[in-house]
Amino acid sequence: MPAPAATLYVVATPIGNLADLSPRAQEVLRSVAAICAEDTRHTGQLLSHFGIGKPLVALHDHNEEAMAERVVARLLGGESLALVSDAGTPLVSDPGFRLVRAARAAGVRVSPVPGACAAIAGLSVAGLPSDRFVFEGFLPAKAAARRERLQRLAGETGTLVFYESSHRIAESLADMAVAFGSERPAAVARELTKMFETVLDGSLEQLLAAVQADDNQRKGEFVVMVQGAGDDGEAKIAEGRRLYAKLHEHLPPSTAAKLAAELSGAPRKALYGG
Ligand code: SAM
């Protein structure tokens, strides 16, 4: 007899306020044979708050490849399982991609139980254009790599969404002000759904000043959102400047500016004073 069809449920958990765990998420977590969790202790506490007792399987960045195979074997054997991360939606700057890919490749049904996601929650209250946005997750920790990434994003026209930690919020805002211009509209959403929830908006320069002026504004978890490059001209100039900086490493300034202007469509004057 074939094994009953099993499902891998990808379940979103709260990003702060426990009441955001949906009734369906609770029902699914109660129904499965086991729950794959990023940090079993953390998830154990969440489950015990809801009176849910289930075997937990540790599945994190360091063991996901190996665990995925074992979890898929259980699914193929007919057990339904759930995947959660520490907070919010699994796979969004969180583990789970390899498991979901392996389950799908094995023909297992994978079904979402949607809920909180800090990026979407932040975007929903930022007051920035949200019809097109680019989720960039965490920026590189090293300053040089972070600046290079931001420089590359300077011409992006959709709203940019970043995750940031308390250690680097001020440095990142400072780097963004340099890469995107200090007047670029932005918003910082901190501790969403928690007691000290704060959503600040203003220019990058104003936000940096606000975060520097108050220690409390550097505590907790952050979503940083930056409006995209305004019009076509602004996007072209940002791209032209990025190309000019690269080409200038190997070519004389006037040649680098000519090529960067041609490739980006930006006026040469805007890239190079000569
Ligand atoms: N999977 C999660 C989601 O769906 O949002 C994100 C996990 S990622 C490892 C954690 C980051 O998300 C934090 O460093 C912070 O940037 C952001 N974040 C999580 N909870 C947040 C909250 N309550 N308020 C603001 N940002 C939050």
Side-chain angles (χ1 to χ4, degrees):
M1 223 173 75
T7 301
L8 172 65
Y9 293 100
V10 180
V11 181
T13 56
I15 56 170
N17 190 326
L18 294 186
D20 290 339
L21 188 73
S22 73
R24 188 161 87 89
Q26 294 176 45
E27 188 187 308
V28 165
L29 292 174
R30 270 196 184 91
S31 76
V32 292
I35 299 168
C36 301
E38 189 182 1
D39 177 339
T40 52
R41 222 181 51 162
H42 183 95
T43 297
Q45 283 166 0
L46 176 76
L47 295 178
S48 83
H49 177 87
F50 289 95
I52 302 172
K54 278 290 158 183
L56 293 171
V57 177
L59 186 132
H60 42 72
D61 278 334
H62 305 292
N63 73 352
E64 188 176 345
E65 202 78 61
M67 281 310 293
E69 215 174 296
R70 288 159 67 173
V71 171
V72 169
R74 287 183 72 168
L75 289 158
L76 289 174
E79 287 181 300
S80 282
L81 302 171
L83 167 70
V84 300
S85 61
D86 284 357
T89 302
L91 280 81
V92 179
S93 289
D94 265 342
F97 152 66
R98 294 179 194 87
L99 172 60
V100 168
R101 181 176 58 182
R104 296 188 62 82
V108 171
R109 177 172 176 253
V110 182
S111 183
V113 182
C117 174
I120 301 299
L123 203 55
S124 73
V125 293
L128 293 171
S130 51
D131 48 341
R132 283 177 50 244
F133 62 90
V134 179
F135 176 64
E136 279 290 320
F138 289 99
L139 284 164
K142 296 221 167 84
R146 183 168 64 236
R147 287 170 194 161
E148 157 97 35
R149 172 83 51 88
L150 290 171
Q151 208 52 59
R152 261 199 252 162
L153 292 168
E156 171 57 55
T157 52
T159 291
L160 294 159
V161 182
F162 301 93
Y163 281 164
E164 196 46 272
S165 72
S166 52
H167 316 295
R168 270 192 297 272
I169 183 70
E171 283 103 312
S172 284
L173 285 171
D175 288 344
M176 287 175 192
V178 172
F180 306 149
S182 54
E183 293 307 312
R184 190 78 86 87
V188 174
R190 182 177 80 95
E191 294 288 89
L192 292 167
T193 77
K194 302 187 206 177
M195 192 186 299
F196 297 109
E197 175 180 287
T198 327
V199 181
L200 302 175
D201 62 59
S203 68
L204 280 167
E205 188 178 25
Q206 289 168 333
L207 291 173
L208 175 61
V211 163
Q212 279 172 335
D214 179 357
D215 287 356
N216 287 323
Q217 292 303 328
R218 295 196 296 277
K219 289 186 185 146
E221 300 189 284
F222 300 84
V223 183
V224 179
M225 292 147 288
V226 184
Q227 190 166 307
D231 55 29
D232 212 28
E234 198 185 340
K236 281 180 184 165
I237 290 170
E239 177 60 3
R241 287 196 174 137
R242 186 182 77 79
L243 290 170
Y244 175 74
K246 278 277 159 216
L247 292 167
H248 187 208
E249 289 170 14
H250 309 282
L251 297 169
S254 59
T255 317
K258 185 170 177 290
L259 274 174
E262 255 174 54
L263 291 168
S264 63
R268 200 176 137 190
K269 278 202 309 268
L271 311 181
Y272 158 71

